[in-house]
Amino acid sequence: KVTLLHGSHRTGKRTDAAMEKWRGHGLGQFIHWGLYAIPGGAWNGKQYNGAAEWIRSWNGIPKSTYDSLNYSFNPTAFDAKSWAKTAKQMGAKYVTFTTKHHDGFCLWPSKYTKYTVANSPYKKDIVKAVVDAYDQEGIDVILYFSVMDWNHPDWRYDIKSKEDSIAFERFKKFTRNQLIELLTNYPTVKGLWFDGTWDTSWVKQAAFADELETEMRKLRPGLIIGSRFRADENGKRHFDSNGVLMGDYEQGWERKIPSRIEDVHGNDWDCVMTVPENQWGYNAAWNGHIKTGLELIEMTARCVSLGGNFVLNFGPKGDGSIRQEELKLAAEIGDWMKINQQAIYNCGYAGYDKQDWGYFSKKTGTDKIYMLVFNVPVSGALRIKTPAKTVIKKASLLADATETFTPEQISGDEYFLHLKKGTHPQPFVIVLETAPGQQSNGVKYEKAK
Ligand SMILES: Cc1ccc([C@@H]2N[C@@H](C)[C@@H](O)[C@H]2O)cc1
């Protein structure tokens, strides 16, 4: 172990109520919205296939032209209440919303730069509208903030000269001021989701970033900050030089999901996911594989079964409306969640061996186990291998408790649940009531009462 001043300040999961609540969300919504939604991945008739929110970094659109898009920003169809209703119907328990992406355009009227929504035809405070609308729906708000700021004259990729150092000191003050401003203007937000923290200039700011994180946590007790905000004094990110997670949860699962429990190292984590392969901001032309509702429901189940949250991204258009494909997905996911949400909310890793038919989750603080079935075997027999000294008291369909299953024990801790023949057009959930105990071998159960 090395001595660190600016490494992780905590080992193991946070146990406070704010983090317990975050841990139990299961399903969240990401929203990427900003000036990049105006070009929507194309410029002068040329379509770009990279991530649309990065269009400023391609040569097809002159940077000065992009930077002046704030004068064209007038989202007449923007209605935060309808966004929040869509999230509610989907079953999202929290939203992560872009206050400022890499282009530096602020969706709140920041006092520390002119490059904000206040200097656009729209004028009004979009962050406030989103925070208020989602608060009203009972959906927690986390604010996305990009440290990297292509618009700010004092941003540097690295600090190579005295001039760089003087400029970057100004930038550090600016960044701190904006973060304190966000936490002061929007006191109900539950956390900050940092991005744009990989450049050498920021990675060198271990002490500053550590002090800033401490200041923010003091200002907002319970604030949730992920592993991507700061590096330790050796430049180690996400995990410090002793391999301990920085921040409150691992933020590395961007467009990817852990495949097994060992991958999450006993930490909290979220997976943030795009509907197309790699588009966060609105891209008019969705090319390549577009994930279906069933795929996204399975990703949600997989994340929850491994103790994480699944956060699905929406990229509203330049006019502020949400595209039809995303509304349809939100409805499909919501329909499934209405029936099966018990297996997602306040659930986590069950400690059962992964089976081919799908995923286990466990209701936190109980012995209730959910089987989220996606792949019904031709045999109709769902294999269960319980952890040692666990007895299955009852098995029934979550959607209809009168449909029960009599587990057939096939070895000391292995069972089959036999499904009735028939089709399963939608993934379904079986609830197992379990209790600690030892089951005698090979005995067929009494029919569950
Ligand atoms: C290499 C890379 C940099 C930044 C990103 C940003 N993180 C996502 C959450 C989006 O904001 C994307 O623009 C993605 C990939």
Side-chain angles (χ1 to χ4, degrees):
K1 265 171 80 77
V2 299
T3 308
L4 289 173
L5 290 178
H6 304 300
S8 174
H9 298 310
R10 190 200 70 258
T11 53
K13 293 180 177 179
R14 270 177 52 174
T15 54
D16 58 291
M19 197 69 201
E20 287 285 345
K21 189 182 180 207
W22 181 91
R23 184 176 295 135
H25 284 334
L27 176 61
Q29 178 190 43
F30 217 135
I31 295 181
H32 274 75
W33 197 42
L35 299 182
Y36 40 78
I38 297 171
W43 194 256
N44 281 346
K46 185 174 182 315
Q47 178 67 40
Y48 293 89
N49 287 323
E53 72 284 355
W54 274 71
I55 193 167
R56 183 185 184 280
S57 64
W58 301 316
N59 303 326
I61 168 171
K63 291 188 172 30
S64 56
T65 307
Y66 180 96
D67 291 344
S68 308
L69 285 174
N70 60 307
Y71 299 115
S72 326
F73 187 69
N74 190 17
T76 48
F78 171 59
D79 172 10
K81 287 188 169 59
S82 73
W83 287 9
K85 284 210 176 341
T86 299
K88 186 80 173 187
Q89 282 159 5
M90 181 171 98
K93 287 290 186 186
Y94 69 121
V95 64
T96 301
F97 180 67
T98 48
T99 59
K100 177 176 91 170
H101 204 260
H102 311 328
D103 61 7
F105 182 65
C106 303
L107 291 180
W108 83 99
S110 175
K111 292 190 311 239
Y112 301 101
T113 170
K114 293 203 173 332
Y115 201 45
T116 83
V117 70
N119 292 309
S120 78
Y122 187 74
K123 297 212 177 313
K124 289 173 286 185
D125 184 345
I126 284 170
V127 173
K128 177 164 176 45
V130 169
V131 170
D132 290 350
Y134 279 79
D135 281 355
Q136 252 171 354
E137 290 293 340
I139 300 174
D140 284 357
V141 179
I142 301 246
L143 297 181
Y144 167 108
F145 182 89
S146 174
V147 171
M148 179 171 75
D149 181 327
W150 294 328
N151 181 269
H152 199 286
D154 292 332
W155 169 259
R156 294 291 183 280
Y157 292 105
D158 193 2
I159 299 162
K160 293 263 189 242
S161 67
K162 185 81 186 119
E163 190 278 335
D164 283 347
S165 168
I166 292 165
F168 206 71
E169 283 310 305
R170 287 194 299 264
F171 185 78
K172 286 157 65 175
K173 279 191 184 58
F174 162 74
T175 299
R176 177 209 166 268
N177 290 340
Q178 285 207 312
L179 288 169
I180 300 303
E181 181 179 49
L182 284 169
L183 294 177
T184 306
N185 290 5
Y186 316 107
T188 61
V189 302
K190 303 297 182 292
L192 294 166
W193 204 95
F194 286 98
D195 205 1
T197 55
W198 48 79
D199 284 325
T200 311
S201 53
W202 183 257
V203 170
K204 285 175 175 170
Q205 310 304 325
F208 172 78
D210 193 10
E211 279 145 36
L212 178 51
E213 183 173 320
T214 301
E215 180 183 10
M216 291 190 286
R217 291 181 185 282
K218 208 156 145 250
L219 177 60
R220 285 280 169 271
L223 193 68
I224 295 170
I225 296 174
S227 61
R228 197 179 287 183
F229 177 52
R230 64 186 179 90
D232 75 8
E233 54 262 50
N234 301 319
K236 299 292 281 175
R237 300 182 61 230
H238 292 287
F239 293 87
D240 70 16
S241 307
N242 292 317
V244 183
L245 182 73
M246 307 282 276
D248 304 319
Y249 65 95
E250 191 188 349
Q251 243 182 300
W253 302 101
E254 186 172 311
R255 296 192 301 118
K256 55 182 191 269
I257 299 178
S259 43
R260 43 196 215 116
I261 196 63
E262 290 76 10
D263 297 341
V264 305
H265 312 292
N267 297 312
D268 285 307
W269 55 280
D270 71 357
C271 160
V272 291
M273 187 58 75
T274 50
V275 175
E277 196 43 45
N278 184 14
Q279 295 293 336
W280 297 91
Y282 174 70
N283 191 324
W286 266 5
N287 298 318
H289 179 67
I290 309 303
K291 296 173 190 76
T292 63
L294 281 174
E295 273 180 272
L296 296 167
I297 290 165
E298 180 160 2
M299 289 182 175
T300 306
R302 193 153 124 220
C303 288
V304 169
S305 77
L306 292 170
N309 289 333
F310 183 67
V311 185
L312 180 61
N313 182 69
F314 289 62
K317 299 182 191 172
D319 70 358
S321 64
I322 295 180
R323 68 198 298 161
Q324 283 311 313
E325 302 94 323
E326 291 176 351
L327 292 173
K328 188 166 168 294
L329 288 170
E332 280 177 48
I333 295 164
D335 288 347
W336 187 85
M337 285 293 284
K338 281 182 188 66
I339 298 168
N340 300 291
Q341 59 189 237
Q342 276 307 315
I344 299 294
Y345 298 148
N346 298 309
C347 287
Y349 177 59
Y352 283 52
D353 284 7
K354 173 81 176 63
Q355 302 288 350
D356 293 342
W357 47 258
Y359 310 88
F360 288 102
S361 70
K362 180 178 185 214
K363 183 67 73 183
T364 303
T366 75
D367 288 324
K368 191 169 273 196
I369 301 295
Y370 297 99
M371 298 167 64
L372 295 96
V373 184
F374 287 80
N375 315 300
V376 174
V378 171
S379 67
L382 302 182
R383 180 183 293 274
I384 304 168
K385 187 165 182 303
T386 62
K389 299 201 178 3
T390 301
V391 172
I392 300 174
K393 311 293 282 180
K394 182 181 180 205
S396 58
L397 205 58
L398 176 61
D400 173 5
T402 64
E403 175 150 352
T404 58
F405 304 85
T406 305
E408 179 202 352
Q409 193 167 16
I410 46 181
S411 82
D413 52 9
E414 283 191 290
Y415 304 83
F416 271 142
L417 290 192
H418 295 283
L419 296 176
K420 293 195 186 76
K421 294 279 173 256
T423 58
H424 300 271
Q426 283 293 329
F428 59 91
V429 174
I430 291 170
V431 197
L432 301 180
E433 307 283 346
T434 70
Q438 190 68 46
Q439 191 56 40
S440 59
N441 263 334
V443 177
K444 255 204 170 224
Y445 280 13
E446 288 306 307
K447 186 135 184 59
K449 298 285 170 287

